[in-house]
Structures are given as C-alpha cells and as structure tokens.
Amino acid sequence: QLQASGGGSVQPGGSVRLSCARSGFTEEHYAIGWFRQAPGKEREGVSCISSSIGDAYTYYGDSVKGRFTISRDNVKNTVYLQMLSLKAEDTAVYYCAAGVFYDYNWCSVVENNYAHWGQGTQVTVSS
C-alpha cells in the first residue's frame, strides 16, 4: 500500500513537500516514482528514485529539474518530493507509485514499470 500526502494550496514561488509512505510490501527493492496529472492533461512522470541503498539513482523531468528534489528514508519506508519555486503549471494531482526494476540502481518514469499506485494528493499553485 502507498499513501501519498502533503499536498495543499500554495502561492507561486512557494514550496511543498510530498510524502509517499509504503507499507505491506514483501519485496524490499522498490523504486518509487512521482507522477502528476493536471486538469485536462495526460499524466506525466515527474521524478523517480531507485531502490538501491545509499547513493540512489534519481531522475527528474525537464519541467521540474532544479526545483524538485526526491529522497527516501528507508527506515521510515517513505519517499519525499520536495518542491520549490512552485509555478501555476505545477498544479496537479500528484501520485506516487512503486515498481521493481531489474537494475536496483535505476528507475524511469514509464508508467508501465509501476505496479502499485497511491491515491494521489492535490497540489494547487495559485495567487
């Protein structure tokens, strides 16, 4: 089970930290991806972090690179998405998802790689 939380309303330039808590998984080596879906648009991949312990591989989409940071706390089984310098176009429902990659030090934001999805959390950026 995945539980996404931390969404809310924020002004442009503000920040939000999303959390994705994982529970009940028997397989430990899950990469976590963050995806978002804005009204009237297709869901897009935002970021992912590999399952490797220590120096995990991370990926960011071009639209969020330099503003978003993904990290994981393996003790708490939680992945975070720190979002800075938010823009109106970041407004969307954000989903976290878990998937197993053959290479534990790799991930991608291709949706078919992710078998488990959280319920989504709304982020609204507006003045």
Side-chain angles (χ1 to χ4, degrees):
Q1 181 178 1
L2 295 174
Q3 182 73 36
S5 62
S9 296
V10 63
Q11 293 186 342
S15 63
V16 168
R17 188 178 79 159
L18 303 182
S19 300
C20 178
R22 176 170 64 90
S23 63
F25 282 52
T26 57
E27 167 61 61
E28 293 185 356
H29 296 284
Y30 275 99
I32 298 293
W34 282 100
F35 299 79
R36 68 185 181 185
Q37 188 165 23
K41 295 187 177 181
E42 292 187 356
R43 190 158 58 189
E44 67 166 331
V46 174
S47 178
C48 68
I49 186 165
S50 69
S51 63
S52 53
I53 304 298
D55 216 6
Y57 169 81
T58 57
Y59 166 87
Y60 300 95
D62 288 341
S63 61
V64 306
K65 200 173 296 183
R67 300 187 298 122
F68 290 11
T69 302
I70 192 170
S71 62
R72 66 191 303 156
D73 184 330
N74 291 320
V75 174
K76 295 181 178 180
N77 286 331
T78 301
V79 170
Y80 303 99
L81 186 68
Q82 179 70 55
M83 306 189 294
L84 305 176
S85 302
L86 284 164
K87 307 174 182 179
E89 50 265 42
D90 294 317
T91 295
V93 177
Y94 284 73
Y95 300 89
C96 64
V100 176
F101 287 77
Y102 180 76
D103 183 347
Y104 292 157
N105 198 37
W106 175 253
C107 65
S108 72
V109 291
V110 175
E111 290 191 26
N112 287 345
N113 289 322
Y114 295 86
H116 306 278
W117 290 77
Q119 84 288 3
T121 184
Q122 175 72 46
V123 174
T124 302
V125 184
S126 173
S127 56

